[in-house]
C-alpha cells in the first residue's frame, strides 16, 4: 500500500483517527508517521501525553506492516515496550520513524523512534510485536 492507500484505509476503517495522523513517507524498511498535535493530545504542563505517544507508535507500526502486506484490518498488537526518554517540544507535532525488523507470515516485529518535529533527540522509543492473522481461503 502506498501513502494514499494507507490514508484511505485509515479514513474508511478508523474514521476516529482521521486528521490526527499523516503518513510523511514510506521508507525502505518502514515509514514515518506524523501526529498532528492538538489540545486533546496534551497533558498538564503542556506536553504531549504518554498515551498519545503510545498511540502514534502503535498506529505507525500498524501502517508500516500494512504498507507491506496490504489492508489487513485484523492485524493486532501483541506486545509493546515503550521508553519515554524526554519531553516532546511544546507546540510541535511528533514524528514516528518505524523500522520493520521482521515481517513473517504470523508475526511482525518493529522498532519506533519518536522525535519532535524539527528536533533530533528521541523523545520515546518503542519495540512492538504484531500478530498477523492467517490468510483466509478464497473458497
Amino acid at each position: 500500500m502506498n501513502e494514499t492507500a494507507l490514508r484511505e484505509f485509515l479514513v474508511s476503517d478508523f474514521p476516529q483517527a482521521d486528521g490526527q495522523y499523516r503518513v510523511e513517507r514510506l521508507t525502505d524498511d518502514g515509514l514515518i508517521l506524523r501526529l498532528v498535535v492538538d489540545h486533546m493530545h496534551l497533558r498538564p504542563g503542556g506536553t504531549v501525553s504518554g498515551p498519545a505517544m503510545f498511540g502514534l507508535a502503535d498506529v505507525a507500526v500498524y501502517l508500516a506492516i500494512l504498507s507491506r502486506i496490504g489492508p489487513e484490518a485484523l492485524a493486532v498488537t501483541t506486545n509493546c515496550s515503550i521508553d519515554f526518554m524526554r519531553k516532546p517540544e511544546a507546540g510541535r507535532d511528533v514524528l514516528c520513524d518505524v523500522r520493520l525488523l521482521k515481517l513473517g507470515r504470523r508475526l511482525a516485529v518493529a522498532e519506533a523512534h519518536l522525535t519532535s518535529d524539527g528536533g533530533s533527540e528521541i523523545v520515546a522509543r518503542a519495540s512492538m510485536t504484531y500478530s498477523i492473522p492467517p490468510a483466509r481461503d478464497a473458497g
Side-chain angles (χ1 to χ4, degrees), residues 55-109:
L56 171 61
D58 195 35
V59 171
V61 170
Y62 181 62
L63 293 177
I65 293 166
L66 296 189
S67 75
R68 293 349 191 240
I69 69 169
E72 179 52 69
L74 299 179
V76 295
T77 309
T78 58
N79 188 53
C80 176
S81 174
I82 189 165
D83 299 306
F84 299 104
M85 297 162 36
R86 56 186 54 87
K87 284 174 47 171
E89 295 179 35
R92 295 185 182 214
D93 290 348
V94 180
L95 300 175
C96 183
D97 187 349
V98 171
R99 181 173 171 229
L100 290 171
L101 304 175
K102 176 190 189 285
L103 182 58
R105 288 180 294 141
R106 295 288 183 102
L107 289 178
V109 179

Side-chain angles (χ1 to χ4, degrees), residues 15 21 23-24 30-32 39 46 54-55 62 64 77 84 88 92 94 97 102 105 108 115 118-120 125 136-137:
Y21 304 105
V23 176
E24 293 292 299
L31 62 72
I32 298 174
H39 71 280
F54 169 83
Y62 181 62
T77 309
F84 299 104
R92 295 185 182 214
V94 180
D97 187 349
K102 176 190 189 285
R105 288 180 294 141
T115 58
S120 60
R125 182 197 64 82
R136 290 179 234 149
D137 292 332

